[in-house]
Amino acid sequence: MPAVSKGDGMRGLAVFISDIRNCKSKEAEIKRINKELANIRSKFKGDKALDGYSKKKYVCKLLFIFLLGHDIDFGHMEAVNLLSSNKYTEKQIGYLFISVLVNSNSELIRLINNAIKNDLSSRNPTFMCLALHCIANVGSREMAEAFAGEIPRILVAGDTMDSVKQSAALCLLRLYKTSPDLVLMGEWTSRVVHLLNDQHMGVVTAAISLITCLSQKNPDEFKTCVSLAVSRLSRIVSSASTDLQDYTYYFVPAPWLSCKLLRLLQCYPPPEDGAVKGRLVECLETILNKAQEPPKSKKVQHSNAKNAILFEAISLIIHYDSEPNLLVRACNQLGQFLQHRETNLRYLALESMCTLASSEFSHEAVKTHIETVINALKTERDVSVRQRAADLLYAMCDRSNAKQIVAEMLSYLETADYSIREEMVLKVAILAEKYAVDYSWYVDTILNLIRIAGDYVSEEVWYRVIQIVINRDDVQGYAAKTVFEALQAPACHENMVKVGGYILGEFGNLIAGDPRSSPLVQFNLLHSKFHLCSVPTRALLLSAYIKFINLFPETKATIQEVLRSDSQIRNSDVELQQRAVEYLKLSSIASTDVLATVLEEMPPFPERESSILAKLKKKKGPGAVSVSELEDGKREGGELNGGGDRGSDTSAIAASNASTPSPSADLLGLRSSAPVGSAAPSAGSLLVDVFSEAGPAALSAGVNDDGFLRFVCKNNGVLFENQLLQIGIKSEYRQNLGRMYLFYGNKTSVQFSGFTTTVSCPGELQSHLNVQTKPVEPLVEGGAQVQQVINIECLNDFVDAPLLNIKFRYGGALQNLTLKLPVTVNKFFQPTEMASHDFFQRWKQLSLPQQEAQKIFKAGHGMDTEVLKAKLLGLGTALLENVDPNPENYVCAGVIQTKAQQVGCLLRLEPNAQAQMYRLTLRSSKDTVSSVCSELLADQF
């Protein structure tokens, strides 16, 4: 509501507001309002025509009464009449009343539309702005139908005032959000995009909000905005604070526009044009450099503006995930914020580093801050910051630091806030299982977890420890001994009793030789907890007792006496009573052989993904799991129930072919279980969320291989994304076998129907690769995700890659997409360690010209040592240290495993930092392998 000024009059309004404020009670206020409403109604219905001033005053009073929370059912026509006034103040009040009180179904909407059309065609910039503001505020479908064709014309017209252009852009954005089907840019597209070059910064700021929204839905139509956005960003970033005086905020040039430009660029993949990409990299480097400069002002507004741009730039760097130097620099910059005195900055730094931990280029850099993050977990006063610190520890964990991180998390659990304890417990359980090479450590960790936070240990956690103990013979005796000792504590959590009852019932015989843990001692220990437990736990203990009779016949009489007691055989709980009666009868009449058969040891559980992951997904809520978990496979990643490296134990893949998937791979947590018969990811995998902020790309009828080369040296990530669909990929290989998980995410709110996928091997590839696919669900609900499993067997070395064809209907239109699946011959490498003497002896043996492939090429990325090592390890070979006489060179060795033969391969990479050049030499026992691997690798450096 406009301020009341002396020149404007409206003394009656000022007096009315004063009366309302002076009311001593609610009843007095209502009485005064009713008196005023009666007066206004009589004025509107009176014979005497009201002038514009009086209408404005009374409409203002009605608006004030409405804002106090009272219903207004008259005065609308008077407000509409004010729209035809030529006085600004009267027209303004009319538009204000309509924006607040008139709904889209009003009978007056036609009259309002006519008044708006008159103002839009008046060419009076003030009246045009008022009309545009009203359209945006109401934003109804009727408004969109009436003005969606007119507003773009006003926006791009050469004679339109800058202030009107700003209002038109934001008005069009509002209409597009409410009725996207009615706002068709068509011929206006290129002219709207070129508003990014407008002289007026306010027009650019308004236009970029519109272009960003349009780009998210129609990326192909607006892809020309990338180069213009980079150009505009470059001019802002390289300018001094004095160059853009009107748009400089506390010595930071155009911070809001800079953030919007960086956000727009996140809608697209990295620019293909080398010059544009180079200019963008320069901008990002400049932003990172400016973050290191001393502040030009001590005021918080300066640092807020500067950091806002920095964090958007880091988000863009993470989105591209293709510039190793920028990723490492971003990580180092965020590392400085971890100890900043401003809590919000520490929170944002931890959150961004969680995503950086997913990148193969910056994971090692993130790990260097582990001590700072652990300190934040212990000392931060804000629980939300502590939670982000726990998330970052979880994301940066790998085999090298798993024990340290798990120990710190366990230590923190004892004093952790109750609101995050359950999530912390799940994360500790997942990490302990994922990176358990020594399974006695895993058992100790889970039992310690139950001891510290037993109330927050869900069934999934203690179920899982039992599954793993049963599946691994080498840990059963240790588990029985450890759980026996844990049960001797005076105060023992019920979950510990459950684990103890199950494990001692199965493997108590492994520790029965020690007099301190004789059968009767074990039984008495368990039974001493019986009366303190709930009904389900008592039922489990009764089952453990009958198992004892089979394991230890000497305990039969004692246990039968317990089963025969009135407290069991006449128990009020039907389940306990039935178990006691049946177990007593079984132990009495069954022969030893029958008893041994009925009560034999539990068979191993089928290997499958841990249900703890699904539990964590639900705990964090839809969409809360970051892409860092999708990317986790790039690290050494231990295998559950089998901690081997990628060259070991091919039976693990074969065994898991029959496994069932866990709901943890469900993006939105909508399914409680997955379809039977489809395979699950390896148990070493983390939760998968393929809805990252990656930029959209267009569906194409041709073969799309944009993401293919990104996966030569990594196995997990986002393969493809556009405005409709995102495809995440997760794969694992052992010897000549591989398994790939594809996650198809529907990014829209509309169902995909007829969703089908086909994997084909073109030409000779059919005889070199055996590919088997599991069927995928034909319907993909809006916002949902479906999973597909592909099993791969390498029969012989190969050159081409399989093709994935996806077809589905969206809004009635058939969508057809063909992608190259990132299955390359190097995926079947088994790393081979060699001494210096053996390496060069074998190098000389592979000296035939056809056995060697050599490429000399310009460096396409930075020549950072850690990045180079990460890529060579990601190739699948073993990186051999201290082998080459020149310490600057890198040598690797590996064997490609195929069904037909094994192909040894040696690699030598010689970087020349001064010339920014590489020489890559590969020698293998088969000429085709050398040439294929050299072609693949040359594009990675």
Side-chain angles (χ1 to χ4, degrees):
M1 195 178 75
V4 178
S5 65
K6 290 182 180 178
D8 198 25
M10 288 210 291
R11 178 172 175 76
L13 175 64
V15 170
F16 174 61
I17 293 174
S18 178
D19 289 347
I20 292 294
R21 289 177 177 170
N22 291 330
C23 289
K24 303 298 184 184
S25 64
K26 184 72 175 174
E27 290 76 15
E29 179 184 308
I30 293 172
K31 185 178 178 180
R32 178 68 181 90
I33 286 172
N34 287 336
K35 179 182 175 182
E36 192 64 40
L37 286 174
N39 178 52
I40 296 171
R41 199 185 299 269
S42 67
K43 294 290 184 183
F44 285 167
K45 288 185 177 180
D47 297 333
K48 187 179 178 182
L50 294 175
D51 58 11
Y53 166 79
S54 298
K55 282 183 184 176
K56 176 182 71 171
K57 180 177 66 174
Y58 293 134
V59 166
C60 251
K61 286 183 179 181
L62 290 176
L63 187 56
F64 180 71
I65 292 169
F66 176 78
L67 295 178
L68 288 176
H70 301 274
D71 291 333
I72 299 296
D73 56 3
F74 69 99
H76 298 75
M77 181 56 77
E78 284 70 18
V80 173
N81 291 337
L82 285 174
L83 300 184
S84 58
S85 172
N86 287 324
K87 287 187 177 180
Y88 169 75
T89 55
E90 294 174 10
K91 191 182 287 286
Q92 180 197 32
I93 296 301
Y95 274 125
L96 183 59
F97 185 93
I98 287 163
S99 298
V100 175
L101 272 88
V102 175
N103 62 48
S104 58
N105 299 321
S106 171
E107 296 173 357
L108 300 173
I109 205 75
R110 229 173 243 184
L111 291 173
I112 296 168
N113 285 353
N114 287 334
I116 291 174
K117 282 181 182 175
N118 292 334
D119 283 336
L120 288 179
S121 59
S122 70
R123 312 310 297 170
N124 181 322
T126 307
F127 291 175
M128 290 177 77
C129 285
L130 283 175
L132 289 166
H133 294 169
C134 181
I135 296 170
N137 285 330
V138 177
S140 65
R141 189 168 182 84
E142 289 76 11
M143 290 275 189
E145 287 173 348
F147 302 109
E150 175 70 8
I151 297 172
R153 185 188 62 76
I154 295 172
L155 177 61
V156 300
D159 58 346
T160 304
M161 297 278 289
D162 290 332
S163 60
V164 179
K165 282 185 180 180
Q166 289 175 256
S167 298
L170 296 176
C171 180
L172 197 59
L173 173 61
R174 163 72 169 161
L175 294 183
Y176 185 77
K177 286 182 175 180
T178 55
S179 307
D181 55 316
L182 297 178
V183 181
L184 304 174
M185 298 307 295
E187 58 184 299
W188 310 112
T189 299
S190 62
R191 296 173 72 180
V192 169
V193 168
H194 276 83
L195 287 174
L196 292 176
N197 276 337
D198 198 277
Q199 297 282 331
H200 194 277
M201 295 286 279
V203 174
V204 180
T205 305
I208 198 167
S209 297
L210 173 64
I211 294 167
T212 301
C213 186
L214 293 169
S215 298
Q216 289 168 348
K217 299 289 178 70
N218 306 290
D220 268 5
E221 291 182 28
F222 292 88
K223 62 184 177 184
T224 53
C225 71
V226 173
S227 58
L228 295 177
V230 171
S231 175
R232 175 63 80 170
L233 180 66
S234 176
R235 277 179 276 167
I236 294 171
V237 168
S238 59
S239 67
S241 58
T242 54
D243 296 344
L244 300 168
Q245 285 186 353
D246 292 342
Y247 288 87
T248 295
Y249 179 77
Y250 287 87
F251 304 100
V252 181
W256 283 275
L257 179 55
S258 300
C259 289
K260 288 185 176 185
L261 287 165
L262 290 164
R263 206 166 292 158
L264 171 62
L265 292 171
Q266 291 175 53
C267 296
Y268 289 91
E272 296 177 359
D273 187 316
V276 176
K277 186 175 181 180
R279 197 170 182 183
L280 177 56
V281 170
E282 281 180 25
C283 289
L284 295 172
E285 286 177 342
T286 304
I287 292 170
L288 291 174
N289 291 338
K290 284 187 175 181
Q292 299 287 343
E293 294 174 1
K296 295 179 181 178
S297 170
K298 293 183 179 180
K299 293 193 175 181
V300 69
Q301 292 92 335
H302 171 73
S303 59
N304 282 348
K306 195 173 172 183
N307 291 331
I309 298 171
L310 175 63
F311 276 102
E312 281 299 337
I314 290 173
S315 295
L316 182 61
I317 293 167
I318 293 170
H319 166 67
Y320 285 166
D321 194 22
S322 60
E323 296 293 331
N325 290 336
L326 288 178
L327 283 161
V328 172
R329 284 194 63 189
C331 180
N332 293 336
Q333 180 62 51
L334 291 172
Q336 294 177 21
F337 288 147
L338 291 180
Q339 294 177 308
H340 199 278
R341 57 189 174 85
E342 176 61 44
T343 306
N344 289 336
L345 273 183
R346 297 198 299 274
Y347 179 93
L348 290 169
L350 289 166
E351 191 174 46
S352 297
M353 287 185 85
C354 283
T355 314
L356 275 174
S358 70
S359 173
E360 60 183 313
F361 305 121
S362 55
H363 178 70
E364 291 300 321
V366 172
K367 281 168 58 180
T368 60
H369 301 285
I370 185 170
E371 295 300 333
T372 309
V373 179
I374 288 171
N375 186 55
L377 186 67
K378 293 176 178 177
T379 60
E380 280 289 349
R381 286 187 290 179
D382 190 313
V383 63
S384 61
V385 181
R386 292 198 296 273
Q387 188 162 6
R388 291 288 82 79
D391 289 343
L392 179 53
L393 285 175
Y394 179 70
M396 70 167 63
C397 188
D398 59 20
R399 190 167 292 177
S400 67
N401 57 19
K403 288 191 176 182
Q404 180 188 3
I405 287 176
V406 168
E408 292 293 347
M409 283 185 160
L410 278 174
S411 173
Y412 173 64
L413 252 178
E414 298 191 34
T415 56
D417 296 80
Y418 294 109
S419 60
I420 64 172
R421 281 195 182 188
E422 186 177 357
E423 187 179 323
M424 289 284 294
V425 165
L426 293 172
K427 287 180 174 178
V428 169
I430 290 168
L431 294 178
E433 182 181 357
K434 181 176 176 61
Y435 298 110
V437 178
D438 175 6
Y439 275 84
S440 59
W441 171 74
Y442 169 72
V443 171
D444 287 339
T445 300
I446 300 299
L447 294 184
N448 209 8
L449 194 62
I450 295 172
R451 181 185 62 78
I452 293 169
D455 289 339
Y456 299 90
V457 174
S458 61
E459 287 185 339
E460 288 85 358
V461 175
W462 72 264
Y463 284 174
R464 191 63 179 161
V465 71
I466 286 171
Q467 289 174 12
I468 290 175
V469 169
I470 286 175
N471 284 17
R472 298 194 65 87
D473 296 339
D474 57 335
V475 80
Q476 289 164 0
Y478 181 82
K481 176 176 177 292
T482 307
V483 81
F484 175 79
E485 292 170 352
L487 286 172
Q488 292 177 2
C492 194
H493 196 276
E494 190 168 335
N495 281 332
M496 187 74 80
V497 178
K498 291 176 182 176
V499 174
Y502 204 108
I503 290 179
L504 291 179
E506 292 293 328
F507 310 113
N509 59 310
L510 300 177
I511 61 170
D514 189 333
R516 292 171 297 178
S517 55
S518 64
L520 270 177
V521 172
Q522 290 184 42
F523 169 73
N524 289 331
L525 181 60
L526 283 177
H527 196 55
S528 67
K529 313 291 182 184
F530 187 89
H531 66 288
L532 300 171
C533 298
S534 62
V535 169
T537 307
R538 291 184 186 189
L540 186 150
L541 288 177
L542 289 177
S543 298
Y545 297 168
I546 190 66
K547 288 260 187 178
F548 269 37
I549 292 177
N550 178 49
L551 288 175
F552 314 118
E554 64 268 31
T555 64
K556 181 175 181 179
T558 306
I559 293 173
Q560 281 183 336
E561 191 63 33
V562 170
L563 295 175
R564 198 177 287 115
S565 65
D566 285 350
S567 60
Q568 304 303 333
I569 212 163
R570 297 178 185 223
N571 197 297
S572 58
D573 186 86
V574 177
E575 174 69 21
L576 292 180
Q577 185 188 92
Q578 183 177 351
R579 286 195 186 214
V581 171
E582 290 180 358
Y583 290 162
L584 179 61
K585 205 68 176 172
L586 179 66
S587 64
S588 302
I589 64 173
S591 66
T592 307
D593 292 340
V594 171
L595 206 60
T597 303
V598 174
L599 302 173
E600 67 179 347
E601 195 175 290
M602 285 290 289
F605 288 87
E607 289 190 12
R608 59 173 178 259
E609 188 180 22
S610 170
S611 58
I612 307 175
L613 299 170
K615 182 79 174 176
L616 179 61
K617 176 66 176 178
K618 289 177 184 175
K619 178 68 181 167
K620 290 185 77 68
V625 181
S626 66
V627 168
S628 63
E629 295 171 315
L630 176 65
E631 295 285 332
D632 199 77
K634 72 196 174 308
R635 309 194 282 273
E636 294 175 290
E639 302 298 330
L640 286 181
N641 301 333
D645 58 21
R646 63 179 280 182
S648 65
D649 192 11
T650 57
S651 63
I653 286 184
S656 59
N657 281 343
S659 63
T660 57
S662 161
S664 62
D666 172 23
L667 177 67
L668 299 176
L670 298 174
R671 301 189 301 269
S672 58
S673 61
V676 175
S678 62
S682 81
S685 68
L686 287 179
L687 292 171
V688 177
D689 174 9
V690 297
F691 280 178
S692 68
E693 290 295 320
L699 284 179
S700 167
V703 177
N704 186 316
D705 59 356
D706 292 345
F708 178 77
L709 290 175
R710 291 204 311 268
F711 288 85
V712 170
C713 294
K714 67 176 185 177
N715 291 334
N716 310 299
V718 176
L719 177 63
F720 171 84
E721 181 172 14
N722 67 0
Q723 71 274 23
L724 304 179
L725 177 70
Q726 187 185 55
I727 304 174
I729 192 168
K730 197 168 173 316
S731 51
E732 55 184 355
Y733 297 87
R734 294 194 191 92
Q735 297 195 13
N736 71 313
L737 299 176
R739 174 173 286 173
M740 183 177 288
Y741 305 94
L742 295 174
F743 300 91
Y744 305 101
N746 181 348
K747 295 181 64 176
T748 72
S749 57
V750 181
Q751 183 189 69
F752 292 166
S753 60
F755 194 91
T756 57
T757 62
T758 309
V759 178
S760 59
C761 295
E764 295 182 357
L765 190 60
Q766 292 184 13
S767 59
H768 293 247
L769 275 186
N770 181 17
V771 180
Q772 297 176 341
T773 60
K774 303 276 185 180
V776 69
E777 291 291 325
L779 294 178
V780 185
E781 297 296 335
Q785 171 192 351
V786 295
Q787 172 186 324
Q788 183 175 33
V789 182
I790 300 175
N791 292 320
I792 305 159
E793 183 183 16
C794 180
L795 307 176
N796 214 327
D797 64 281
F798 56 94
V799 177
D800 295 324
L803 299 179
L804 170 67
N805 179 254
I806 303 161
K807 293 180 181 177
F808 60 93
R809 288 194 174 275
Y810 168 72
L814 179 65
Q815 307 290 326
N816 188 4
L817 171 69
T818 304
L819 302 171
K820 260 190 178 183
L821 274 183
V823 181
T824 49
V825 70
N826 66 286
K827 300 295 183 186
F828 301 95
F829 261 126
Q830 180 175 347
T832 306
E833 296 291 342
M834 301 177 77
S836 177
H837 172 75
D838 297 331
F839 178 87
F840 286 106
Q841 184 178 0
R842 180 62 177 155
W843 184 267
K844 290 175 183 175
Q845 290 172 355
L846 299 171
S847 56
L848 296 176
Q850 64 269 26
Q851 291 177 326
E852 179 179 282
Q854 188 173 90
K855 291 182 80 71
I856 299 173
F857 53 92
K858 189 81 174 171
H861 307 283
M863 304 181 78
D864 183 82
T865 303
E866 293 303 317
V867 173
L868 291 177
K869 287 182 178 179
K871 288 187 175 182
L872 290 170
L873 288 171
L875 182 70
T877 55
L879 182 61
L880 308 180
E881 303 282 356
N882 304 319
V883 169
D884 197 291
N886 184 348
E888 300 296 321
N889 295 344
Y890 302 90
V891 293
C892 303
V895 176
I896 291 178
Q897 303 280 344
T898 73
K899 188 174 182 181
Q901 61 182 331
Q902 295 184 340
V903 182
C905 187
L906 303 179
L907 177 151
R908 191 179 192 190
L909 181 67
E910 300 167 86
N912 185 332
Q914 187 174 358
Q916 290 289 296
M917 300 283 287
Y918 289 104
R919 178 164 65 185
L920 173 67
T921 310
L922 278 106
R923 292 187 180 182
S924 72
S925 53
K926 196 166 185 182
D927 52 351
T928 52
V929 171
S930 300
S931 59
V932 171
C933 287
S934 64
E935 290 293 335
L936 290 172
L937 263 183
D939 293 315
Q940 303 301 309
F941 299 106

